[in-house]
Amino acid sequence: MKIISVACLQDNYAYLILDEITRDAVVVDPVEPEKVVDAAKHHGAQLKIVLTTHHHWDHAGGNDKIKQLVPGIRVYGGSIDNVRGCTDKVNNGDKLSLGADINILCLHTPCHTKGHISYYITGHERDDPAVFTGDTLFVAGCGKFFEGTAEQMYQSLCVTLSSLPKPTRIYCGHEYTVKNLQFARTVEPNNASIHQKLEWAYKQRGEGLPTVPSTIEEEMETNPFMRVDQPELQSKVGCGSPVEALQEIRRLKDNWKG
Ligand code: GBP
Ligand code: ZN
């Protein structure tokens, strides 16, 4: 499978996932449908499925339009997330497939929104798996807790997503990496991986390139929200448990002025 990022709006990403044998394609969060349809044409891809991570307009807001542009396209979204234009509601553990090699597993990752879904996708055995995390997991960060608790975000980040294979590529909903790493550095000033990745992220952005994908392994090294199981990190933020630490790091980030 081939994965193509499509930059949308200010800092959103839509993604095309293309089965190179049948040319069938999935698109994640096509908020600017024309851009996605153009990208599909450019790659000779037939759009068949929309995967919506959550109901916010900057993710689901293109669904009605893409249904007009691509008749017959199916639109998937979380069963309790009220996704605009949704034709097929999904729940944790649901499986879909497309083309010769694309297999999709729906993972309920609530907290940013109640019904947020992340999509874990495997292709041919030579391809690394990929997970599309919307606004639950960002590179070096996580989404704001709009519709859930720290307990739920802990489950989503540190249980569900952390259990995926280490080489899994992470494709998130926004390009927030530089800001997130600048904040991460304030939490863990002595973490060399954060400094290295920040230098790399400056360079990528300076060249107009994305900082996605990351990997589960890299996030375990650099993402403070995914590192709350580490006792050293808990004591740094003055907390005695992973969930408390997650709540506190979120509070610090919400108040951080960059
Ligand atoms: C920035 O850092 O660039 N402009 C600021 C923050 C996701 S988008 C923007 C912001 O708050 N982004 C949201 C977030 O979770 N950020 C994580 C963080 O700052 O650490 N959204 O567009 C946001 O979800 C939205 C849309 C929100 C509809 C509520 C509704 Br309703
Ligand atoms: Zn959102």
Side-chain angles (χ1 to χ4, degrees):
M1 65 180 171
K2 192 176 165 74
I3 300 176
I4 298 133
S5 330
V6 182
C8 293
L9 309 176
Q10 189 106 317
D11 50 32
N12 279 76
Y13 286 117
Y15 298 101
L16 270 182
I17 305 127
L18 171 63
D19 184 293
E20 289 165 289
I21 297 173
T22 64
R23 311 307 287 178
D24 286 337
V26 176
V27 58
V28 179
D29 291 348
V31 60
E32 292 191 272
E34 293 86 353
K35 278 194 188 171
V36 165
V37 167
D38 283 352
K41 276 198 190 119
H42 180 77
H43 290 274
Q46 316 263 0
L47 290 173
K48 295 287 169 69
I49 288 179
V50 172
L51 299 176
T52 313
T53 59
H54 65 295
H55 70 80
H56 289 157
W57 70 273
D58 56 323
H59 298 262
N63 288 353
D64 290 338
K65 185 69 190 278
I66 207 165
K67 283 159 87 179
Q68 290 172 5
L69 295 175
V70 185
I73 198 165
R74 307 301 301 181
V75 177
Y76 293 82
S79 65
I80 55 166
D81 217 49
N82 257 322
V83 166
R84 203 178 174 86
C86 184
T87 61
D88 296 77
K89 293 185 171 187
V90 296
N91 290 299
N92 189 49
D94 284 357
K95 291 177 175 176
L96 320 167
S97 62
L98 186 73
D101 284 326
I102 296 180
N103 289 292
I104 304 164
L105 172 65
C106 303
L107 299 171
H108 183 215
T109 51
C111 179
H112 180 74
T113 67
K114 216 154 54 107
H116 192 293
I117 302 285
S118 297
Y119 298 92
Y120 177 70
I121 305 193
T122 53
H124 190 275
E125 59 182 39
R126 69 173 165 258
D127 301 324
D128 284 311
V131 65
F132 295 83
T133 57
D135 288 1
T136 295
L137 171 61
F138 296 125
V139 179
C142 73
K144 291 182 178 166
F145 300 0
F146 287 126
E147 299 178 14
T149 62
E151 194 82 52
Q152 285 177 316
M153 191 54 104
Y154 179 76
Q155 187 73 27
S156 295
L157 292 179
C158 303
V159 180
T160 306
L161 294 171
S162 295
S163 306
L164 297 175
K166 293 280 193 309
T168 304
R169 269 38 183 174
I170 298 168
Y171 292 88
C172 56
H174 292 268
E175 178 62 60
Y176 289 158
T177 308
V178 164
K179 270 195 174 176
N180 284 345
L181 287 165
Q182 288 170 337
F183 171 75
R185 192 173 55 175
T186 69
V187 181
E188 288 191 279
N190 299 324
N191 181 330
S193 305
I194 292 176
H195 290 268
Q196 276 165 21
K197 190 153 185 182
L198 180 56
E199 288 310 313
W200 170 83
Y202 282 137
K203 188 163 162 288
Q204 288 291 107
R205 299 308 293 148
E207 294 170 13
L209 297 171
T211 61
V212 289
S214 182
T215 62
I216 296 290
E217 188 167 29
E218 282 180 39
E219 292 312 300
M220 302 281 216
E221 296 292 319
T222 53
N223 188 325
F225 300 93
M226 274 195 134
R227 291 170 57 74
V228 293
D229 283 322
Q230 310 240 346
E232 309 84 67
L233 192 94
Q234 290 167 26
S235 50
K236 258 188 198 124
V237 294
C239 293
S241 79
V243 172
E244 259 180 64
L246 186 56
Q247 178 83 270
E248 177 60 10
I249 297 170
R250 186 64 261 172
R251 193 188 66 78
L252 292 168
K253 175 79 167 59
D254 288 341
N255 297 325
W256 181 67
K257 296 288 177 258

